[in-house]
Protein backbone atom coordinates (compact mmCIF):
# COMPACT_ATOMS: atom_id res chain seq x y z
CA UNK A 1 0.00 0.00 0.00
CA UNK A 2 1.23 3.47 -0.92
CA UNK A 3 0.12 6.71 0.71
CA UNK A 4 0.52 10.09 -0.99
CA UNK A 5 0.49 13.57 0.52
CA UNK A 6 0.63 16.83 -1.44
CA UNK A 7 2.00 20.11 -0.13
CA UNK A 8 2.98 23.52 -1.43
CA UNK A 9 -0.31 24.95 -2.62
CA UNK A 10 -1.38 28.50 -1.89
CA UNK A 11 -2.41 31.87 -3.26
CA UNK A 12 -0.20 33.58 -5.83
CA UNK A 13 -0.56 36.44 -8.28
CA UNK A 14 -0.62 35.84 -12.01
CA UNK A 15 2.92 35.46 -13.32
CA UNK A 16 4.13 34.02 -10.04
CA UNK A 17 5.45 30.58 -9.17
CA UNK A 18 4.65 27.74 -6.81
CA UNK A 19 6.28 24.38 -6.19
CA UNK A 20 4.07 21.44 -5.26
CA UNK A 21 5.47 18.33 -3.66
CA UNK A 22 4.05 14.82 -3.53
CA UNK A 23 5.51 12.67 -0.76
CA UNK A 24 5.03 8.92 -0.84
CA UNK A 25 5.17 6.43 1.99
CA UNK A 26 4.57 2.71 2.27
CA UNK A 27 5.39 0.27 -0.53
CA UNK A 28 6.91 2.94 -2.74
CA UNK A 29 9.15 0.51 -4.65
CA UNK A 30 6.08 -0.92 -6.39
CA UNK A 31 5.26 2.33 -8.16
CA UNK A 32 5.79 2.78 -11.90
CA UNK A 33 4.74 6.39 -12.42
CA UNK A 34 3.41 9.46 -10.66
CA UNK A 35 1.08 11.97 -12.20
CA UNK A 36 -0.29 15.37 -11.31
CA UNK A 37 -3.90 16.18 -12.07
CA UNK A 38 -6.07 19.18 -11.27
CA UNK A 39 -9.74 19.91 -10.87
CA UNK A 40 -11.27 23.37 -11.06
CA UNK A 41 -14.76 24.10 -9.68
CA UNK A 42 -17.43 22.77 -12.01
CA UNK A 43 -14.92 21.04 -14.25
CA UNK A 44 -13.67 17.50 -14.66
CA UNK A 45 -10.32 16.40 -13.31
CA UNK A 46 -7.65 16.89 -15.95
CA UNK A 47 -4.14 15.65 -16.56
CA UNK A 48 -1.28 18.05 -15.87
CA UNK A 49 2.01 16.12 -15.92
CA UNK A 50 3.48 12.69 -15.34
CA UNK A 51 6.88 11.07 -14.79
CA UNK A 52 7.90 7.42 -14.97
CA UNK A 53 9.91 6.45 -11.91
CA UNK A 54 12.39 4.11 -13.60
CA UNK A 55 13.11 5.78 -16.91
CA UNK A 56 12.31 9.33 -15.90
CA UNK A 57 10.20 10.00 -18.99
CA UNK A 58 7.88 12.97 -18.67
CA UNK A 59 4.76 14.26 -20.38
CA UNK A 60 2.73 17.45 -19.98
CA UNK A 61 -0.65 18.79 -20.89
CA UNK A 62 -0.44 21.31 -23.71
CA UNK A 63 -1.82 24.00 -21.42
CA UNK A 64 1.20 23.81 -19.08
CA UNK A 65 4.06 22.96 -21.45
CA UNK A 66 6.95 25.36 -21.04
CA UNK A 67 5.62 26.62 -17.70
CA UNK A 68 5.45 23.53 -15.46
CA UNK A 69 8.23 21.02 -14.75
CA UNK A 70 7.78 17.66 -13.06
CA UNK A 71 10.74 16.06 -11.30
CA UNK A 72 11.42 13.08 -9.05
CA UNK A 73 13.72 12.46 -6.14
CA UNK A 74 14.11 8.75 -5.56
CA UNK A 75 16.01 9.16 -2.32
CA UNK A 76 13.25 11.26 -0.78
CA UNK A 77 10.34 9.45 -2.50
CA UNK A 78 8.98 12.76 -3.70
CA UNK A 79 7.72 14.05 -7.02
CA UNK A 80 7.61 17.81 -7.39
CA UNK A 81 5.73 20.07 -9.77
CA UNK A 82 7.40 23.42 -10.38
CA UNK A 83 4.82 25.85 -11.71
CA UNK A 84 6.02 29.10 -13.27
CA UNK A 85 4.20 31.94 -15.01
CA UNK A 86 0.96 30.93 -13.33
CA UNK A 87 -2.32 32.08 -14.83
CA UNK A 88 -5.79 32.44 -13.29
CA UNK A 89 -6.87 29.42 -15.37
CA UNK A 90 -4.39 27.33 -13.36
CA UNK A 91 -6.58 27.78 -10.28
CA UNK A 92 -7.66 24.33 -9.10
CA UNK A 93 -7.17 21.61 -6.55
CA UNK A 94 -4.03 19.73 -7.56
CA UNK A 95 -3.77 16.01 -6.90
CA UNK A 96 -0.85 13.65 -7.22
CA UNK A 97 -1.45 10.02 -8.03
CA UNK A 98 0.64 6.91 -8.46
CA UNK A 99 0.28 3.62 -10.27
CA UNK A 100 1.98 0.24 -10.19
CA UNK A 101 1.08 -0.45 -13.81
CA UNK A 102 3.99 -0.60 -16.26
CA UNK A 103 3.21 0.63 -19.76
CA UNK A 104 5.56 0.94 -22.74
CA UNK A 105 4.28 4.34 -23.75
CA UNK A 106 3.97 7.39 -21.57
CA UNK A 107 0.66 8.30 -23.21
CA UNK A 108 -0.98 5.64 -21.02
CA UNK A 109 -0.02 7.67 -17.95
CA UNK A 110 -1.95 10.73 -19.10
CA UNK A 111 -5.35 9.42 -18.02
CA UNK A 112 -6.66 9.28 -14.47
CA UNK A 113 -7.93 5.71 -14.96
CA UNK A 114 -4.34 4.46 -14.92
CA UNK A 115 -3.76 5.54 -11.33
CA UNK A 116 -4.79 3.57 -8.26
CA UNK A 117 -3.60 5.77 -5.40
CA UNK A 118 -4.45 9.44 -4.92
CA UNK A 119 -3.51 12.13 -2.48
CA UNK A 120 -5.98 14.45 -0.77
CA UNK A 121 -5.15 17.41 -2.99
CA UNK A 122 -3.77 20.90 -2.44
CA UNK A 123 -5.45 24.15 -3.45
CA UNK A 124 -3.72 26.49 -5.89
CA UNK A 125 -5.31 29.88 -6.42
CA UNK A 126 -3.95 32.36 -8.94
CA UNK A 127 -5.26 35.89 -8.72
CA UNK A 128 -5.36 38.23 -11.72
Amino acid sequence: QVQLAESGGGLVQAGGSLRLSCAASGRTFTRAAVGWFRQAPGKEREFVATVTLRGGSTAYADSVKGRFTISKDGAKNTVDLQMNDLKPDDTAVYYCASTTLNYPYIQYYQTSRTYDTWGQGTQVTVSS
Side-chain angles (χ1 to χ4, degrees):
Q1 193 99 12
V2 174
Q3 294 81 40
L4 302 175
E6 303 95 337
S7 61
L11 173 64
V12 65
Q13 288 188 331
S17 299
L18 282 175
R19 188 176 185 90
L20 306 183
S21 187
C22 175
S25 59
R27 295 172 60 87
T28 59
F29 58 88
T30 63
R31 299 183 304 156
V34 171
W36 282 95
F37 292 78
R38 66 187 182 186
Q39 187 166 19
K43 294 187 177 181
E44 294 186 353
R45 189 171 297 188
E46 65 174 1
F47 166 75
V48 176
T50 185
V51 60
T52 60
L53 298 183
R54 290 186 176 87
S57 298
T58 60
Y60 298 90
D62 287 343
S63 59
V64 306
K65 277 181 184 176
R67 301 188 298 123
F68 290 13
T69 303
I70 190 170
S71 61
K72 62 183 179 72
D73 186 327
K76 296 181 179 179
N77 283 324
T78 57
V79 172
D80 290 353
L81 185 69
Q82 177 66 41
M83 306 186 295
N84 298 328
D85 190 24
L86 282 161
K87 306 176 186 302
D89 283 349
D90 295 319
T91 296
V93 177
Y94 283 71
Y95 300 89
C96 69
S98 72
T99 178
T100 58
L101 299 175
N102 281 289
Y103 288 120
Y105 305 108
I106 198 163
Q107 289 87 339
Y108 289 104
Y109 293 113
Q110 298 179 30
T111 174
S112 59
R113 292 190 300 272
T114 296
Y115 297 86
D116 49 46
T117 302
W118 292 80
Q120 293 299 307
T122 185
Q123 177 70 46
V124 171
T125 303
V126 184
S127 63
S128 57

